[in-house]
Amino acid sequence: MRATGWAGVVVALAVGCGKTTGSQTPADGGTGSSGASQHTLHMRVTGNGQVTSTSPSFSCRGDCQQSVDATATVHLSAVADSGWKFDGWQGACSGAGNCDVAMNADRDVTASFSTVAPPPAGSVRVTVTFVGNGSGRAMSSPAAIDCPGVCSAAVTKGTLLSFSAQPDANSSFTGWGGDCHGNGSCGITANSDVAIFV
């Protein structure tokens, strides 16, 4: 197990989401721990990837829906499978970064993924994926990655890359995963495809 990603302030919800369609009921019978009213979060995933939440921990592929306390805010991240990229959100989320969904009404969220073209001959692909429950920015030098925004790029094989992370307000950077390690800057030589988790 690795400790990676952003740490942020997220209101917990007592639900889980798997790969099957339909709704899962909290262990307390569906009323929520506080007895608050609930709304439905409906998530759709197109392409090869998943939507994840770290507090509580769940992931969704395909089509999932959850009953969530009306007072909760759900923090969602999109994680592309190898060879795919995240194109962006639709519905209650927009853009290509992590998304916070206030559950004071029923919400629909769609995450779209598409295939990544193989890098040109003599190049390798570098991909950065956000996996924490906060938000921020990850950048490379020389400039190839500036994520969210540009989270995947082809670079010449053998390129020396240095990565840095900048958390947003109310978040903190807790470390790298994948081909980078630790919680400082990261330097790697891209002799093959590189996958980095933030």
Side-chain angles (χ1 to χ4, degrees):
M1 172 180 280
R2 63 174 183 266
T4 63
W6 309 106
V9 178
V10 180
V11 177
L13 56 139
V15 297
C17 179
K19 297 182 181 179
T20 59
T21 59
S23 177
Q24 296 179 350
T25 304
D28 62 5
T31 60
S33 59
S34 65
S37 63
Q38 296 191 329
H39 295 292
T40 299
L41 173 62
H42 184 196
M43 293 169 286
R44 296 180 189 90
V45 177
T46 62
N48 289 7
Q50 61 183 317
V51 174
T52 66
S53 169
T54 55
S55 181
S57 178
F58 71 81
S59 65
C60 175
R61 291 179 179 270
D63 196 326
C64 305
Q65 69 179 28
Q66 295 296 134
S67 294
V68 182
D69 283 352
T71 57
T73 297
V74 184
H75 184 83
L76 301 176
S77 300
V79 181
D81 290 350
S82 177
W84 291 70
K85 63 183 177 66
F86 178 54
D87 294 325
W89 304 100
Q90 293 177 321
C93 292
S94 61
N98 292 333
C99 176
D100 293 314
V101 182
M103 291 304 301
N104 55 353
D106 290 348
R107 303 292 185 194
D108 288 299
V109 174
T110 298
S112 298
F113 299 88
S114 63
T115 56
V116 175
S123 298
V124 296
R125 183 158 299 278
V126 178
T127 303
V128 172
T129 303
F130 288 160
V131 295
N133 64 352
S135 59
R137 183 179 176 194
M139 298 154 286
S140 71
S141 177
I145 298 293
D146 191 348
C147 187
V150 180
C151 299
S152 181
V155 301
T156 302
K157 185 175 182 179
T159 298
L160 176 62
L161 293 167
S162 176
F163 293 88
S164 60
Q166 177 182 333
D168 289 341
N170 300 319
S171 293
S172 60
F173 176 61
T174 58
W176 303 98
D179 292 318
C180 278
H181 305 282
N183 56 12
S185 61
C186 167
I188 60 173
T189 301
N191 288 320
S192 59
D193 288 352
V194 174
I196 296 172
F197 301 100
V198 185

